[in-house]
Amino acid sequence: MNAKTAAAAHYIDPQMKPILERMREKMASRAAVQVSPPEMRVRFAADMAVWNENPIGLTRVEDKTVPGAFGDVRVRLYDPIGSETPLPAIIYFHGGGWIVGDCDTVDAGLRLLAKSSGVAVLSVDYALAPEHKFPEPLEDCIAVSRWLRGNAGAWSVDTERLAIGGDSAGANLALATALALRDSGENWLRFSLLVYGVYATDYATESYRDFGGNEYGPGTLGMEMFLSMYLRNEADRRNPLAMPLLAELKGLPPHYLVAAGLDPLRDDTRNLARRLAQARVPHEVKEYSGVVHGFMSMVHGLDAAVEATRAAAEALRTAVYK
């Protein structure tokens, strides 16, 4: 099924339709324009700003600087309670194809996640490609995670009750970080929240066949562009820490997976769920029909985004408070 046929055949959430039309108009206006990674970041930040206007208030939202693998890294702390009793927390890596994005581009969604869960969120501005190609963004995520494990208690964070998570490329980095920590014998993660992640380079899946054009956002060509900037060579495509569906998954913490029905990456999540089942890793999968990749950032205009965030928050809360 080609992209136009898929567009006619697949259910689209009514609230998604005007968002999708605006997205298509913007993509069409940019189709012939080549921009550099720094320009891509500026453009992406401007695109995401509309979804992060008028953020909900929390007891404490504070930017901090922590040591990473390549220098200081910005971390944004979302504290939904402000209690003197240390809160459990989730270390969260934003999406953006390993190339764009930062704490600001996921701000509204993470505020809702923190408020709905009662769990602190530690959002991480990890090193980006192509200035830092694989494995450097991952090394930054691992370094920051280890530092937070050892030091975030000073921020009223319970370092014995930590989870990890991310969306899109951030979900890839979160899963790879969990694998690296497991392999080094550091089994302190309680939970993993992975949102429409990229876990393989398989463009032959049904979801890539149906949604890999440009009808539902950047598809196969967009993913290949991001991968070409992130990975150093063909060998990296076979590295389990770059493409975690190639990894042995035994011994990982419980997982909560979110997929979008109109996403080329949908089947990456389905395939990860099958691999987790084979490895006997506890997991739950939530797939939301009629929405596109990135939908959980749209909490100000899409009911499905709010529903998905609150459901993920409940799973997170249950995992780290038990």
Side-chain angles (χ1 to χ4, degrees):
M1 183 182 294
N2 62 36
K4 290 185 178 180
T5 304
H10 289 89
Y11 168 75
I12 302 175
D13 185 305
Q15 290 183 319
M16 189 81 249
K17 289 181 180 179
I19 297 171
L20 193 52
E21 287 304 314
R22 292 194 297 270
M23 184 186 304
R24 288 170 178 167
E25 290 172 4
K26 190 171 293 184
M27 289 177 64
S29 70
R30 296 172 173 173
V33 180
Q34 297 292 326
V35 297
S36 67
E39 291 171 320
M40 290 171 63
R41 291 169 194 145
V42 172
R43 191 167 71 180
F44 184 73
D47 289 346
M48 296 304 296
V50 65
W51 300 114
N52 290 287
E53 294 175 347
N54 304 313
I56 60 173
L58 293 176
T59 300
R60 179 171 54 140
V61 178
E62 183 178 358
D63 283 5
K64 297 177 175 290
T65 301
V66 306
F70 308 99
D72 288 342
V73 175
R74 179 173 66 153
V75 174
R76 181 167 295 169
L77 169 64
Y78 298 90
D79 180 350
I81 296 176
S83 169
E84 293 183 3
T85 302
L87 286 178
I90 180 170
I91 303 166
Y92 194 92
F93 305 120
H94 65 80
W98 304 279
I99 313 301
V100 302
D102 55 26
C103 290
D104 296 330
T105 58
V106 289
D107 183 69
L110 293 189
R111 284 171 181 261
L112 181 60
L113 180 67
K115 185 172 184 177
S116 299
S117 65
V119 173
V121 177
L122 301 166
S123 180
V124 180
D125 267 358
Y126 54 87
L128 296 175
E131 296 88 343
H132 293 273
K133 286 183 173 288
F134 175 83
E136 291 183 358
L138 173 59
E139 291 170 351
D140 215 23
C141 293
I142 295 168
V144 170
S145 298
R146 284 174 170 153
W147 191 94
L148 291 169
R149 158 72 169 171
N151 297 275
W155 308 346
S156 293
V157 167
D158 185 348
T159 56
E160 296 301 318
R161 291 188 290 173
L162 291 176
I164 201 165
D167 61 278
S168 193
N172 169 287
L173 291 167
L175 179 52
T177 298
L179 289 166
L181 292 174
R182 179 207 62 187
D183 290 347
S184 65
E186 299 170 80
N187 296 310
W188 41 264
L189 290 172
R190 295 282 193 94
F191 183 72
S192 179
L193 169 60
L194 304 181
V195 179
Y196 34 72
V198 49
Y199 311 119
T201 56
D202 182 3
Y203 299 137
T205 63
E206 180 183 22
S207 58
Y208 264 111
R209 291 197 302 271
D210 285 355
F211 312 120
N214 61 2
E215 292 293 314
Y216 297 100
T220 306
L221 292 178
M223 177 55 64
E224 188 55 35
M225 177 194 68
F226 287 129
L227 284 170
S228 70
M229 292 191 199
Y230 177 51
L231 302 178
R232 298 166 299 182
N233 49 46
E234 285 298 312
D236 283 347
R237 293 173 183 258
R238 301 185 293 276
N239 189 315
L241 291 180
M243 295 295 118
L245 270 179
L246 301 174
E248 170 57 64
L249 302 179
K250 291 180 180 178
L252 290 175
H255 276 57
Y256 185 92
L257 310 178
V258 179
L262 303 177
D263 186 357
L265 292 171
R266 181 200 66 199
D267 290 352
D268 276 31
T269 294
R270 291 181 177 180
N271 291 333
L272 177 59
R274 282 192 283 269
R275 290 290 319 284
L276 290 170
Q278 291 168 358
R280 299 186 178 181
V281 175
H283 64 281
E284 182 178 0
V285 186
K286 290 286 187 179
E287 186 172 308
Y288 293 85
S289 62
V291 293
V292 301
H293 188 81
F295 81 97
M296 282 180 67
S297 296
M298 305 170 186
V299 292
H300 290 326
L302 187 65
D303 290 347
V306 176
E307 176 190 345
T309 302
R310 288 178 173 164
E314 181 59 31
L316 172 62
R317 179 181 180 86
T318 299
V320 297
Y321 273 105
K322 66 181 179 182

